Amino acid sequence: MKRRYKNLESHFAAILFDFFKTILVFLIATTFALCLKEADVLSDNIYGVYMLAVAVTSSITSGYIWGIIGSFCGVVGVNFFFTFPYFALNFTLAGYPVTFAILLFMSIMSSALTAKVKKAAILSSIREKRSESLNTMSKELLSANTFDEIMQITLDNVYAANQCSVAVYIGSPLEPELVVSKYLSADDERIMESVLEKQVAQKAFLNGENTGVGTNDTVQNCLGTYVPFAKKDKTYGVLGLLFKEASYVETDALKFANLMATQTIIAMDRQEIFEESQKILLEKEKEKMRSNLLRAISHDLRTPLTCILGSSATLLENKSLLQEDISDQLLKDIHHDAEWLIQMVENLLSVTRISGEGAQVKKQEEVVEEIVAEAVTKIQKRFSKAEIRVRVPDELLLVPMDAMLIEQVLINLMENAIRHSRSDKAVYLTVKRLWNNVYFSVLDQGIGIEPERLPHIFDGTTTSKSSDSSRGLGIGLPICKSIITAHGGEIYAKNNESGGANFTFVLPMKGEDENG
């Protein structure tokens, strides 16, 4: 009701303004015509001045009604000011009624033609702007990567093209999955958020047809227009429009809104297909990872279990015949392989934390130095003779991570360096910050990695000919990659020019700007 009152008030103000413009134009025209008469210029065709005034009035006012009013004023003006007896109305002169009718008809035709040209120019300008908006929208939708982006692009372009309040709903308007909106005023927001408007929008959603003002399916007291994002077998949502007033612009705008809705539907279809393809690729990747993991597990479990079985059988069957140092060595081998199996189980537990359906890494900011110290302490308990040299920055580094999983990665990398480098030289664990990332590197001084293995070292799909490759590099590295990827980081391996292998992984620092 308040909106209607404001519309009436605005309409009355526009009428008053047009009235004053019409009066002003004819005052100027009359003054100009009187000056021409005094100067004895165009005295026989003074009505041409008023016809020009009619054309000007039609072009600067809304609609052609003011031009018609101006036509009457022009005829009366000629009779009053320029027809004998002057400054008096006299329509009884011989032949004057015919002249009056002809001049009035010419004036009205001129007014109507001017108004029509003006209207055509306005419509042409509006359509040109809307075509530009449609072209811009199409380009922006091509680069959209999510449904949220598609909705925002649709909202911005429909609002810019129509200059009206806009609401975009994904899903049922009564219980939408997503809503984005732009309103011209707080009153428009209250109207479009009302129960009635929501119900009309819901009707458009269910029927898949335009509903509301300016459509074939109007609803009493409804002020909005609702265009569904619908195709044959599916309705994605609804586009809601609330115009300032009903006019020829609104009818044209509704047709254009349908074109924009079609563009949005095409973008939604494309995004849906893209997301489905991504799901399929993800499932294939998961299946590939499971296959590689099972192959690595079977490969890595077989050797230590065979050794444990063989050593324990020898002790049980030949205990009395074995020398003490041989028995001790067999027990050490059993202990060593049992330790490796425990590490294997810990790796498998790490996998279950990040590979379950819907599982996500629970990250919180951890002090990097503490994580590194904990990992080094654990590895030195198992490899007491190994020399680990640690280099960390002096500054306090806080990185969002799952502490247990990152410790597991560091332990796996250091254990591989100790077991497979074939060197007693020190292993270096280095941490450094570059911009808004933290780099962790584990470097050994051993034989390095076979070049043919480097491209596939983290997927577990290749095996090495070396005798000690049966453990450690099978399951551990694919798990390391899975953990780092789940943290939004990267991991890679290379051989050092001076000898040995270098494994590096990168973790992003939360809340840091690009300049660090």
Side-chain angles (χ1 to χ4, degrees):
M1 194 69 183
K2 189 183 289 185
R3 178 184 173 89
R4 288 179 178 173
Y5 175 76
K6 283 190 174 181
N7 284 343
L8 286 172
E9 192 178 51
S10 175
H11 187 59
F12 179 75
I15 290 174
L16 196 61
F17 188 50
D18 284 343
F19 173 74
F20 281 116
K21 284 193 285 188
T22 303
I23 294 298
L24 181 62
V25 168
F26 277 89
L27 283 174
I28 294 171
T30 301
T31 303
F32 182 62
L34 288 171
C35 291
L36 291 177
K37 184 183 177 185
E38 287 296 322
D40 198 22
V41 179
L42 293 177
S43 57
D44 294 331
N45 197 17
I46 207 71
Y47 194 74
V49 175
Y50 283 99
M51 289 188 68
L52 178 62
V54 169
V56 172
T57 301
S58 298
S59 65
I60 66 173
T61 56
S62 56
Y64 59 85
I65 187 67
W66 294 104
I68 294 173
I69 292 172
S71 301
F72 280 99
C73 291
V75 171
V76 172
V78 170
N79 185 277
F80 186 80
F81 293 106
F82 305 102
T83 305
F84 184 84
Y86 302 113
F87 303 105
L89 294 174
N90 184 3
F91 296 103
T92 62
L93 297 173
Y96 190 80
V98 175
T99 304
F100 176 85
I102 292 172
L103 291 176
L104 181 61
F105 177 74
M106 289 176 62
S107 182
I108 290 172
M109 288 295 292
S110 173
S111 171
L113 182 61
T114 303
K116 190 173 181 180
V117 170
K118 177 187 173 185
K119 179 178 177 178
I122 292 172
L123 278 173
S124 177
S125 175
I126 290 171
R127 284 168 181 161
E128 184 179 353
K129 288 179 181 178
R130 285 177 176 160
S131 296
E132 290 176 1
S133 296
L134 186 62
N135 186 43
T136 302
M137 180 179 175
S138 299
K139 290 178 180 178
E140 290 177 353
L141 286 174
L142 285 173
S143 61
N145 296 318
T146 64
F147 278 105
D148 287 10
E149 285 184 37
I150 292 171
M151 290 302 95
Q152 194 61 49
I153 289 168
T154 301
L155 176 73
D156 292 340
N157 283 279
V158 172
Y159 180 86
N162 297 294
Q163 288 301 300
C164 65
S165 294
V166 183
V168 182
Y169 304 93
I170 286 294
S172 164
L174 293 178
E175 295 180 354
E177 298 171 21
L178 173 68
V179 182
V180 288
S181 57
K182 257 187 186 180
Y183 300 111
L184 294 175
S185 66
D187 285 342
D188 283 5
E189 183 176 3
R190 281 193 292 271
I191 289 169
M192 295 199 77
E193 291 295 324
S194 67
V195 175
L196 173 61
E197 297 296 325
K198 288 284 185 72
Q199 288 174 343
V200 177
Q202 180 71 10
K203 186 178 180 183
F205 177 77
L206 295 175
N207 296 339
E209 296 177 352
N210 295 350
T211 307
V213 176
T215 71
N216 295 327
D217 188 4
T218 57
V219 178
Q220 189 175 7
N221 297 323
C222 170
L223 298 174
T225 304
Y226 299 93
V227 180
F229 299 117
K231 56 182 185 178
K232 274 187 178 180
D233 56 342
K234 186 172 184 178
T235 301
Y236 289 104
V238 176
L239 170 65
L241 307 169
L242 186 63
F243 296 98
K244 286 182 178 179
E245 57 183 85
S247 66
Y248 64 86
V249 178
E250 180 182 332
T251 303
D252 200 61
L254 181 58
K255 294 177 183 177
F256 199 79
N258 278 284
L259 286 175
M260 287 188 150
T262 301
Q263 290 290 325
T264 303
I265 292 167
I266 293 171
M268 287 178 170
D269 280 344
R270 186 173 61 249
Q271 184 63 28
E272 195 173 54
I273 292 169
F274 174 75
E275 290 185 357
E276 286 297 323
S277 65
Q278 288 298 107
K279 286 180 182 178
I280 293 170
L281 288 174
L282 185 61
E283 286 301 318
K284 285 184 177 179
E285 191 64 29
K286 284 183 178 179
E287 190 59 36
K288 180 182 176 182
M289 193 172 85
R290 289 190 195 101
S291 299
N292 291 340
L293 188 60
L294 287 172
R295 182 163 53 250
I297 289 172
S298 61
H299 183 267
D300 280 13
L301 286 178
R302 186 182 296 114
T303 302
L305 286 173
T306 301
C307 292
I308 289 173
L309 185 62
S311 297
S312 59
T314 301
L315 286 170
L316 288 172
E317 294 171 5
N318 303 295
K319 184 176 181 180
S320 58
L321 302 176
L322 295 174
Q323 296 180 4
E324 185 176 350
D325 59 338
I326 295 176
S327 296
D328 289 344
Q329 184 59 47
L330 290 172
L331 287 171
K332 285 180 181 178
D333 291 342
I334 291 172
H335 183 267
H336 179 271
D337 289 326
E339 275 190 336
W340 172 243
L341 288 174
I342 289 172
Q343 178 64 18
M344 179 78 68
V345 171
E346 288 180 0
N347 273 332
L348 292 174
L349 289 174
S350 297
V351 170
T352 62
R353 295 185 63 186
I354 60 173
S355 62
E357 188 68 29
Q360 292 184 341
V361 174
K362 295 181 180 178
K363 296 185 283 187
Q364 63 180 32
E365 290 192 340
E366 301 284 353
V367 179
V368 169
E369 190 173 355
E370 292 180 0
I371 301 302
V372 169
E374 187 68 23
V376 170
T377 300
K378 289 180 179 179
I379 202 72
Q380 286 190 323
K381 284 181 181 178
R382 296 173 53 195
F383 301 95
S384 56
K385 294 182 179 179
E387 183 182 357
I388 309 291
R389 294 184 183 179
V390 180
R391 297 172 181 169
V392 295
D394 294 332
E395 65 175 311
L396 182 68
L397 296 180
L398 292 172
V399 176
M401 66 172 77
D402 183 315
M404 188 178 296
L405 291 178
I406 298 302
E407 276 184 26
Q408 189 67 43
V409 172
L410 290 170
I411 289 170
N412 281 352
L413 295 180
M414 287 188 287
E415 182 171 352
N416 283 343
I418 294 168
R419 284 182 179 275
H420 305 292
S421 65
R422 297 187 186 178
S423 171
D424 295 329
K425 295 181 179 178
V427 172
Y428 291 91
L429 172 53
T430 304
V431 179
K432 64 180 179 180
R433 176 186 176 182
L434 185 61
W435 301 111
N436 59 337
N437 294 316
V438 176
Y439 289 73
F440 298 77
S441 297
V442 175
L443 182 150
D444 64 59
Q445 302 178 71
I447 58 174
I449 304 167
E450 298 162 3
E452 64 270 16
R453 295 196 63 195
L454 275 174
H456 308 284
I457 197 165
F458 291 105
D459 58 24
T461 57
T462 61
T463 56
S464 173
K465 297 177 182 178
S466 91
S467 60
D468 73 336
S469 67
S470 60
R471 288 178 282 173
L473 293 179
I475 186 173
L477 293 180
I479 289 175
C480 290
K481 182 179 179 180
S482 298
I483 292 172
I484 298 304
T485 302
H487 279 76
E490 297 179 11
I491 186 169
Y492 49 89
K494 65 179 182 178
N495 286 319
N496 299 311
E497 293 181 1
S498 57
N502 184 349
F503 287 84
T504 300
F505 65 89
V506 188
L507 295 179
M509 295 184 72
K510 184 179 180 180
E512 293 289 337
D513 60 32
E514 205 171 15
N515 296 325

